[in-house]
């Protein structure tokens, strides 16, 4: 099955680069320069994934994310300039799956797309219940965490935080999403909780907590559980 990807980007060079790279990988690629064009293509021939630029001639990428999320869980990977941090976080909080900062490599884009498709690609995809990478194993069904075959004892909050990241393994989860889902909506400003608990988790599951291999920091945005 050929997967259709909609690339929404007003920068001609980046659009052409992404289009040819994805076509080479066997994707069917549609492109749009504006939100209006993207909206029309979404109605006509819905894609399996959207690659979305933040700033477009007739509006912000955020509008498209909100519009799409009202109807579907179609994977959305955002591409942004480095200085657009706040907007990028707003898009992730609005339901975009992941982001890449410009300049990015085609390999990075494909890796992000693979993860987003795996999580959301089809309604048939089973919910994630286990995570294994190197020495770490997490089983959400039995609520067990092991490192090098030894059981790791986590507090309930440490476990909930890790479980949330396992359910989005490979994708960034914003500070706000983690705080809202683990602690509650009224805690979304308490980023110091995250730093504290992430430190405790790293001490328990990382071989070298100072050089984390599993719990990766996405500076200013959130955390990502490595999955490859
Ligand atoms: Ca742009």
């Amino acid at each position: 099955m050929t997967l259709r990807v909609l690339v929404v980007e007003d920068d001609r060079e980046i659009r052409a680069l992404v289009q040819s790279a994805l076509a080479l990988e066997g994707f069917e690629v549609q492109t749009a320069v504006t939100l209006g064009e993207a909206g029309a293509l979404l109605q006509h021939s819905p894609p399996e994934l959207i690659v979305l630029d933040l700033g477009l001639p007739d509006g912000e990428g955020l509008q498209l994310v909100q519009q799409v999320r009202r109807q579907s869980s179609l994977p959305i990977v955002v591409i942004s300039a480095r200085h657009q941090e706040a907007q990028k976080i707003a898009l992730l909080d609005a339901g975009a799956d992941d982001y890449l900062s410009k300049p990015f490599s085609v390999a990075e884009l494909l890796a992000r797309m693979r993860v987003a498709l795996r999580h959301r690609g089809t309604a048939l995809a089973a919910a994630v219940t286990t995570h294994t990478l190197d020495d770490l194993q997490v089983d959400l069904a039995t609520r067990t965490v092991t490192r090098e075959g030894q059981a790791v004892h986590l507090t309930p909050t440490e476990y909930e935080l890790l479980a949330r990241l396992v359910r989005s393994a490979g994708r960034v989860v914003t500070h706000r999403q983690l705080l809202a889902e683990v602690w509650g909506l009224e805690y979304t400003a308490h980023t110091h909780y995250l730093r504290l608990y992430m430190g405790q988790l790293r001490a328990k599951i990382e071989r070298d907590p100072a050089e984390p291999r599993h719990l990766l920091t996405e500076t200013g945005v959130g955390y990502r559980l490595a999955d490859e």
Side-chain angles (χ1 to χ4, degrees), residues 6-7 16 26 40-41 64 71 91 98 103 107 121 123 128 131 143 148 151 155 167 170 182 203 208-209 217 221 225:
L6 171 60
V7 178
L41 282 169
L64 194 71
Q71 300 159 7
L91 263 86
D98 214 329
V128 178
H131 171 79
R143 295 178 71 95
E148 293 169 343
T155 66
R167 285 193 284 271
V182 176
D208 178 2
T217 297
V221 177
L225 181 67

Side-chain angles (χ1 to χ4, degrees), residues 9-11 53-56 102:
E9 166 66 85
D10 60 328
D11 182 306
D53 182 30
L54 277 178
L56 295 160
K102 298 175 192 175

Side-chain angles (χ1 to χ4, degrees), residues 7 35 55 85 179 210 228:
V7 178
L35 287 178
E85 194 106 302
L179 286 161
E228 55 183 56

Side-chain angles (χ1 to χ4, degrees), residues 158-187:
E158 289 167 358
Y159 177 79
E160 289 307 325
L161 187 55
L162 181 60
R164 177 63 188 81
L165 290 164
V166 164
R167 285 193 284 271
S168 292
R171 291 187 300 167
V172 68
V173 186
T174 66
H175 295 139
R176 188 187 159 79
Q177 288 167 339
L178 288 170
L179 286 161
E181 292 172 34
V182 176
W183 279 272
L185 267 177
E186 62 275 37
Y187 291 92

